[in-house]
């Protein structure tokens, strides 16, 4: 989670700072690396979603929507991360097709920022009930 947060934050800051400057190859690589990292993280998460003993326990116990921790992991976390991956993919694809540099920066900035916010709300942080026993790393 830390790598994707750092990459998205770096891309958002870079796009905000260079909004009206020419779009350079290293900025494209930063956005692409964030996209690839997000997709890799999503694939790992989907595999864990189906084979994790914790998830199997949530499914076996039932009453997922009544239990806030189970609902977070089974529904909210999954939907948030999939939505963030879709937004990053759309943002990168739209930015790639733009002719003007400022438009590329604008698409990357808004899409990656929105995805970053969704990811930050979808992470089971230690200060939340869902992540109380998970720790920071």
């Amino acid at each position: 989670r830390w790598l994707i947060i750092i990459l998205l934050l770096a891309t958002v800051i870079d796009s905000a700072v260079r909004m009206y400057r020419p779009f350079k190859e290293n900025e494209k690589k930063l956005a692409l690396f964030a996209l690839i990292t997000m997709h890799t993280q999503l694939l790992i998460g989907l595999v864990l979603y189906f084979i994790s003993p914790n998830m199997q326990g949530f499914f076996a116990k039932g009453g997922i929507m009544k239990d806030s921790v189970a609902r977070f992991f089974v529904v909210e976390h999954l939907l948030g991360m999939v939505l963030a991956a879709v937004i990053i993919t759309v943002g990168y694809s739209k930015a790639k097709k733009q002719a003007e540099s400022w438009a590329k920066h604008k698409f990357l900035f808004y899409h990656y920022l929105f995805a970053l916010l969704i990811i930050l709300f979808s992470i089971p942080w230690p200060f939340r009930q869902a992540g109380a026993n998970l720790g920071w790393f």
Side-chain angles (χ1 to χ4, degrees):
R1 75 174 130 179
W2 296 108
L3 183 60
I4 191 62
I5 290 172
I6 291 168
L7 286 171
L8 286 176
L9 194 58
T11 305
V12 167
I13 291 170
D14 184 61
S15 293
V17 170
R18 302 176 193 271
M19 187 74 73
Y20 297 104
R21 296 183 186 157
F23 195 77
K24 297 181 181 173
E25 188 66 26
N26 62 341
E27 295 160 356
K28 180 182 176 185
K29 288 180 183 177
L30 179 63
L32 178 63
F33 193 58
L35 172 85
I36 292 169
T37 304
M38 183 63 198
H39 284 179
T40 304
Q41 185 75 22
L42 180 66
L43 289 174
I44 293 169
L46 287 173
V47 168
L48 288 174
Y49 184 82
F50 291 106
I51 67 169
S52 169
N54 293 337
M55 296 304 290
Q56 299 302 321
F58 289 141
F59 290 128
K61 186 172 78 171
I64 292 169
M65 297 309 278
K66 293 178 183 175
D67 181 12
S68 63
V69 174
R71 184 182 61 240
F72 176 80
F73 283 107
V74 174
V75 179
E76 297 169 9
H77 181 69
L78 174 68
L79 288 177
M81 295 305 173
V82 170
L83 181 62
V86 168
I87 291 170
I88 290 170
T89 304
V90 168
Y92 183 80
S93 297
K94 283 187 174 186
K96 195 168 62 169
K97 295 176 184 177
Q98 300 302 312
E100 301 292 330
S101 290
W102 63 269
K104 291 181 182 191
H105 287 295
K106 181 180 169 185
F107 275 101
L108 285 178
F109 175 76
Y110 287 116
H111 283 83
Y112 279 47
L113 176 64
F114 190 52
L116 177 63
L117 292 174
I118 291 172
I119 289 170
L120 290 175
F121 284 118
S122 299
I123 290 177
W125 297 107
F127 51 82
R128 294 179 71 172
Q129 183 182 3
N133 297 326
L134 298 177
W136 287 96
F137 294 97

